[in-house]
Amino acid sequence: MAEIITVPLGDRSYPIIIGSDILDLLGRKLEDVGFPKRVAVISNPTIDALYGDRIVESLTAKGFNVLRYNVPDGEEYKNLETLHGIYDALIGHHFDRGSGIIALGGGVVGDMAGYAAATFLRGIPYAQVPTTVLSQVDSSVGGKTAVNHPLGKNLIGAFYQPELVLIDIDTLNTLEEREVSAGLAEVVKYGVTFDAHFFEWLEDNVSRLRTRDPEALIFAIKKACQLKADIVARDEKEGSVRAFLNYGHTFGHAVESLAGYGQWKHGEAVAVGMVIAAQLAMKAGLCADEDVARISTLLQQLDLPVVPPAYPLSAYVESMLRDKKVRAGQLTMVLNVGIGQAELRQVNDLQKQLADVLV
């Protein structure tokens, strides 16, 4: 049985369909939302080999005309060069405004396919079929699309909502342990910033999540998607509360950029970023020592790093000041208030405050 959450955005509302063994529903569900019959399925070689045939069978059974196109696998390929390859395929196969894109894969595929959809012919419909924990609980929902620039992560992008998100938790069975743990970092983020009871549930269910218990996974993914859907409905383009979803990301993006994209998993970098943010929050009087300890302990139990790599302080500061949340040279960070709440705080002396928590 599939569960459905709606992202309520008026005439741009769309369903998030969550369940086990539901990939075969894709063709019917896309037909239900009036998706174009000419589609490009954007994936990577690994995911296409696992699920591409099944997806295409589901689509062709409902009369869809399908082009399959694979991008290279890895965060280091989330760039303008790869994006142009997608454009070349769409143009070369005569796609038009009566066409659509389906993103089949993790966050890299979803972000690039979504940005291609947002910009090709000034926008064509797209759908998300996320196949990693990270993409299922975060990047596939909410319409953030982007590619990286050598000087910063996701600096080139657009807000562009999908027509549908279909989440089959069975796709997680083929992931390596490190990938699952990295995705669960984003799940922890929701508990820290929005829901203390959910954070407690995560503490009590670490082993079930680590062993990919289907019931626990569906509960955690559904809860994360519901929290995100509620936030996106209130603040679609990150003018206020949606910024809280960036908890741990400002420092995390710096880690990814300094290490070279693909060296650290996104969720691993966010895990370290959450610990840094919690330490800054503690020094600002927003949370207690025990809150920082609980966050760090939960992340470690999920086999995630909590200590940042030893790059120079100046390198971290320079990278963080290129963050999208910088306005007029002033960085704003998301800091947790205890566990279950968050707020935005301007960081007036980033070098000094960061030095206090990195020593």
Side-chain angles (χ1 to χ4, degrees):
M1 293 291 293
E3 302 194 41
I4 298 178
I5 295 169
T6 299
V7 181
L9 292 170
D11 60 1
R12 293 178 298 110
S13 298
Y14 57 92
I16 307 170
I17 303 161
I18 306 169
S20 173
D21 193 28
I22 62 170
L23 284 182
D24 297 329
L25 296 179
L26 181 62
R28 176 160 64 85
K29 294 298 183 181
L30 288 175
E31 192 174 55
D32 289 345
V33 299
F35 204 76
K37 289 294 187 176
R38 174 72 163 138
V39 298
V41 176
I42 310 297
S43 190
N44 65 46
T46 303
I47 298 302
D48 182 43
L50 290 168
Y51 308 114
D53 288 346
R54 189 173 170 190
I55 289 293
V56 170
E57 287 174 12
S58 173
L59 293 168
T60 55
K62 291 297 180 180
F64 288 88
N65 181 359
V66 183
L67 167 70
R68 292 162 83 161
Y69 181 80
N70 289 333
V71 298
D73 189 2
E75 182 80 28
E76 63 269 33
Y77 299 108
K78 185 180 164 183
N79 54 35
L80 289 171
E81 182 180 357
T82 305
L83 180 69
H84 280 291
I86 298 175
Y87 294 145
D88 289 345
L90 297 175
I91 295 167
H93 287 84
H94 309 292
F95 273 61
D96 56 29
R97 287 180 174 170
S99 310
I101 287 175
I102 298 168
L104 172 65
V108 171
V109 167
D111 275 10
M112 284 196 299
Y115 188 55
T119 51
F120 182 69
L121 300 177
R122 298 194 177 95
I124 62 174
Y126 81 110
Q128 293 269 15
V129 185
T131 60
T132 64
V133 180
L134 178 64
S135 58
Q136 290 179 357
V137 302
D138 190 62
S139 59
S140 69
V141 177
K144 276 190 176 181
T145 69
V147 294
N148 298 332
H149 186 277
L151 294 180
K153 186 177 172 71
N154 294 335
L155 295 182
I156 303 164
F159 289 96
Y160 194 64
Q161 301 295 340
E163 303 293 313
L164 174 146
V165 179
L166 187 139
I167 296 172
D168 188 338
I169 66 159
D170 288 12
T171 61
L172 306 181
N173 293 332
T174 55
L175 297 180
E176 61 178 23
E177 291 291 336
R178 184 183 174 194
E179 192 74 53
V180 174
S181 293
L184 290 172
E186 292 281 2
V187 178
V188 172
K189 174 194 73 177
Y190 289 103
V192 176
T193 53
F194 297 115
D195 193 324
H197 294 299
F198 183 44
F199 187 90
E200 292 172 9
W201 183 90
L202 292 171
E203 290 177 309
D204 294 338
N205 288 274
V206 167
S207 61
R208 295 177 68 200
L209 292 169
R210 291 290 307 274
T211 58
R212 308 183 209 192
D213 174 78
E215 184 181 357
L217 282 174
I218 288 177
F219 177 84
I221 291 167
K222 181 181 177 183
K223 183 68 174 179
C225 286
Q226 185 64 70
L227 287 167
K228 185 161 189 179
D230 293 343
I231 291 296
V232 171
R234 292 167 57 192
D235 177 23
E236 182 181 358
K237 296 189 176 179
E238 207 170 286
S240 57
V241 292
R242 184 166 180 174
F244 294 167
L245 295 170
N246 292 314
Y247 180 69
H249 285 59
T250 302
F251 190 85
H253 284 170
V255 170
E256 289 183 89
S257 178
L258 292 171
Y261 294 121
Q263 299 305 306
W264 279 62
K265 299 284 186 187
H266 174 68
E268 293 170 341
V270 168
V272 170
M274 285 192 283
V275 174
I276 294 295
Q279 291 172 336
L280 291 171
M282 181 186 69
K283 290 185 176 295
L286 298 177
C287 72
D289 286 350
E290 53 263 35
D291 297 321
V292 179
R294 284 178 69 192
I295 293 167
S296 181
T297 297
L298 177 56
L299 293 170
Q300 288 176 294
Q301 289 174 336
L302 292 170
D303 202 23
L304 286 160
V306 295
V307 177
Y311 296 114
L313 174 63
S314 59
Y316 276 120
V317 170
E318 183 180 356
S319 182
M320 291 172 73
L321 288 177
R322 288 196 294 265
D323 189 271
K324 299 183 296 300
K325 293 172 288 301
V326 172
R327 298 285 187 276
Q330 184 69 53
L331 175 65
T332 299
M333 287 187 67
V334 185
L335 301 182
N336 57 295
V337 180
I339 290 179
Q341 297 182 70
E343 67 175 49
L344 294 172
R345 280 285 182 104
Q346 283 195 343
V347 182
N348 294 318
D349 188 343
L350 178 60
Q351 180 146 333
K352 180 180 184 304
Q353 292 197 43
L354 206 55
D356 288 343
V357 298
L358 287 178
V359 294

